[in-house]
Amino acid sequence: MLSLSAREKGMKPQLFHFLLHLFLFQLFLLPLFALESHSSRSDHQLGPVALDNHVGSIPIFPPLGAPQPLLPLLAPAPLTPFTNTSVPKLSGLCTLNFSAADSLISVTAIDCWEFFAPLLANVICCPQLEATLTILIGHSSKDTDVLALNGTVAKHCLSDVEQILMGQGASNNLSRICSIRSSNLTEASCPVKKVNDFYNMVDTSKLLTACEKIDPVKECCYQICQNAILEAATTMASNGSDVLGIDSPNVLPEHSVQVNDCRNIVLRWVASKLEPARAKKVLRGLSNCNANKVCPLVFPDMKQVAMGCGNGISNKIACCNAMESYVSHLQKQRFITNLQALNCAETLAMKLKKSNITEDVYSLCHISLKDFSLQVGNQEAGCLLPSLPSDATFDRTGISFLCDLNDNIPAPWPSTSKIASSSCNKSVNIPALPAAASDQSCLYSHDVLFFLLVAMSFLLMAIM
């Protein structure tokens, strides 16, 4: 047990407060850990979705370099709930009506909860945050008649949104994690921002028909709403200047910055015409279409794999050891969807082929799609998120999100030199959502606090 007389020995006030919090943490929360651990195991035996492998026991590693130890200071403050609620310090200068999107903001806070935000950024946290901002600005246009904020108000509003989310337990680095700047809330380079101008230029009936309700799977393949949005954005952008470079054969309109900025205006208008819940489904569906097209992982240098597996595999054990070591770096980055994992497998295969590795090392070394996602629990099972939009949830057991832990899909070794251009053309049959028998909830509960406490204890021994 820690001594509270440390302050009398000349200890720095910050360290004393840290030790005091740790003492209180040990005193009050360890009994809760024992009780929760027992009750959780009982629940696991009764419920179909429970999981004894807790995400919180996973160290958070950087994408490159040697693995680093668990950072104990990432633990929530002792004696506070999972979603730490506090009164946000608002500027009072933001024109957005936050009360109109209370439920969206609450979901965003959980989706972007402090510990998980960097790990769920690409698929859950950032798309939800972007959808929330789009809906807030869209609905504010009903009062302001503009589909964008001016630069000064945008700064205040982005800060206020961050403060509100932080007050409900979200990360305090969301702008950095999601690469969102206050300029993203303005019209940027789009020449159209007034609602009346929007109606005069865009076939709003056609746009709303295409986007008011989308099928998240069919939309990604047939792009009905996306094409309508692109058409509207291109029309708006062409009204401004020749920035599009339409006369240049090397520049496509859909690739211009101006069209992308106008696309944000179009999304805000669509959101203004839908109830927040439906608008969220549409926006999250569109964002998932884009997210599932690419691999979000960073691939380290593969010299060791090339040495072990290149120019014909003379030693299978050495080759697979090199592959396992390489893949272990990918497993420390983030959670990804099953379709993203397929893209990552194809991307890595092409890089391996460029390193003179021609044999199917995936089959040789039993590499599956789960091996590209962050690992869960002691069984080192990769958690693949569903390719359809999903949210994290919060209840008495902690923060949880849907994973597919049982369907072991082998990573396909591409037979051609090109990566498949669309998930609709993938040869591997991957369900958009995990099968009912295999879906699991990855939990962050009191068990995790125990692991963090152990890590704290080691840290204290090192600094005492």
Side-chain angles (χ1 to χ4, degrees):
M1 189 68 68
L2 296 173
S3 170
L4 295 183
S5 63
R7 194 174 192 178
E8 301 172 359
K9 299 178 182 179
M11 183 177 294
K12 292 182 179 180
Q14 296 91 337
L15 182 57
F16 171 76
H17 289 304
F18 177 77
L19 295 175
L20 176 60
H21 283 170
L22 181 60
F23 167 76
L24 296 173
F25 182 71
Q26 290 175 310
L27 182 63
F28 292 102
L29 284 189
L30 274 180
L32 288 177
F33 158 72
L35 177 60
E36 178 67 21
S37 178
H38 174 75
S39 62
S40 296
R41 287 182 175 85
S42 299
D43 292 341
H44 294 338
Q45 295 173 357
L46 296 176
V49 179
L51 179 66
D52 195 35
N53 300 325
H54 296 292
V55 171
S57 61
I58 307 172
I60 299 177
F61 298 111
L64 302 174
Q68 299 297 315
L70 177 69
L71 301 178
L73 295 183
L74 291 176
L79 307 180
T80 59
F82 290 110
T83 51
N84 179 31
T85 56
S86 60
V87 179
K89 298 179 180 179
L90 303 183
S91 64
L93 301 174
C94 177
T95 58
L96 298 179
N97 182 9
F98 297 115
S99 61
D102 280 342
S103 60
L104 281 178
I105 292 174
S106 297
V107 171
T108 306
I110 296 173
D111 283 350
C112 297
W113 190 60
E114 183 177 5
F115 283 79
F116 287 151
L119 306 179
L120 301 174
N122 183 255
V123 182
I124 294 181
C125 170
C126 297
Q128 175 63 21
L129 175 59
E130 291 165 1
T132 300
L133 291 171
T134 299
I135 293 169
L136 283 170
I137 298 174
H139 278 264
S140 74
S141 69
K142 297 176 180 179
D143 299 320
T144 63
D145 292 324
V146 291
L147 292 160
L149 306 179
N150 68 47
T152 301
V153 174
K155 291 180 180 179
H156 292 303
C157 288
L158 182 58
S159 175
D160 286 355
V161 170
E162 290 181 301
Q163 290 296 320
I164 293 172
L165 292 173
M166 286 169 54
Q168 297 185 29
S171 170
N172 60 357
N173 291 316
L174 289 183
S175 294
R176 178 182 59 81
I177 292 172
C178 299
S179 300
I180 293 180
R181 298 179 294 274
S182 60
S183 59
N184 297 132
L185 280 63
T186 69
E187 72 275 19
S189 65
C190 184
V192 178
K193 67 176 181 178
K194 294 182 179 179
V195 175
N196 288 337
D197 293 340
F198 186 90
Y199 276 103
N200 291 333
M201 298 187 63
V202 175
D203 186 345
T204 55
S205 177
K206 177 181 177 181
L207 175 62
L208 190 59
T209 300
C211 296
E212 63 180 344
K213 186 177 182 181
I214 68 170
D215 183 310
V217 176
K218 292 182 179 179
E219 175 61 33
C220 294
C221 292
Y222 303 111
Q223 303 181 11
I224 297 174
C225 175
Q226 295 172 80
N227 287 337
I229 290 173
L230 177 59
E231 180 182 343
T234 303
T235 299
M236 294 164 60
S238 63
N239 183 60
S241 64
D242 295 329
V243 176
L244 290 179
I246 295 179
D247 295 333
S248 174
N250 298 321
V251 180
L252 297 176
E254 59 265 34
H255 292 164
S256 76
V257 173
Q258 198 171 37
V259 170
N260 286 330
D261 290 338
C262 287
R263 183 184 282 112
N264 293 331
I265 300 293
V266 177
L267 290 174
R268 293 169 193 167
W269 181 85
V270 172
S272 73
K273 293 301 175 182
L274 305 176
E275 290 298 320
R278 175 174 286 189
K280 173 199 166 178
K281 289 183 179 180
V282 171
L283 296 173
R284 289 289 304 276
L286 296 177
S287 66
N288 266 45
C289 287
N290 294 326
N292 286 322
K293 292 178 181 178
V294 298
C295 172
L297 301 182
V298 176
F299 292 92
D301 182 85
M302 52 184 61
K303 290 182 180 179
Q304 296 300 320
V305 180
M307 291 175 58
C309 306
N311 299 316
I313 301 174
S314 58
N315 188 328
K316 293 183 179 180
I317 295 179
C319 173
C320 290
N321 285 340
M323 277 295 298
E324 182 179 352
S325 176
Y326 185 88
V327 171
S328 69
H329 285 274
L330 303 180
Q331 295 169 346
K332 296 162 188 171
Q333 293 187 30
R334 63 181 65 192
F335 293 108
I336 63 177
T337 70
N338 43 31
L339 289 179
Q340 285 180 330
L342 189 57
N343 287 318
C344 291
E346 292 177 333
T347 301
L348 177 57
M350 300 310 300
K351 291 180 178 292
L352 292 173
K353 286 186 175 183
K354 290 181 179 179
S355 299
N356 295 321
I357 300 174
T358 57
E359 294 189 38
D360 182 357
V361 292
Y362 290 166
S363 297
L364 178 68
C365 303
H366 305 290
I367 304 296
S368 68
L369 292 182
K370 288 179 184 176
D371 291 325
F372 292 88
S373 190
L374 197 63
Q375 302 298 288
V376 177
N378 297 328
Q379 296 179 356
E380 297 185 352
C383 169
L384 288 177
L385 301 175
S387 59
L388 291 180
S390 62
D391 293 298
T393 58
F394 170 73
D395 56 29
R396 67 176 184 84
T397 61
I399 304 290
S400 64
F401 51 90
L402 189 65
C403 285
D404 180 0
L405 297 177
N406 294 327
D407 295 335
N408 290 307
I409 301 174
W413 185 260
S415 57
T416 63
S417 60
K418 295 182 179 179
I419 297 177
S421 59
S422 171
S423 61
C424 301
N425 298 326
K426 304 297 186 185
S427 58
V428 178
N429 184 19
I430 299 180
L433 286 171
S438 65
D439 63 332
Q440 301 283 354
S441 288
C442 295
L443 301 178
Y444 185 103
S445 65
H446 288 104
D447 299 42
V448 176
L449 300 182
F450 172 76
F451 289 109
L452 292 172
L453 175 60
V454 172
M456 285 181 180
S457 301
F458 281 111
L459 176 67
L460 289 174
M461 286 189 290
I463 63 178
M464 289 296 288

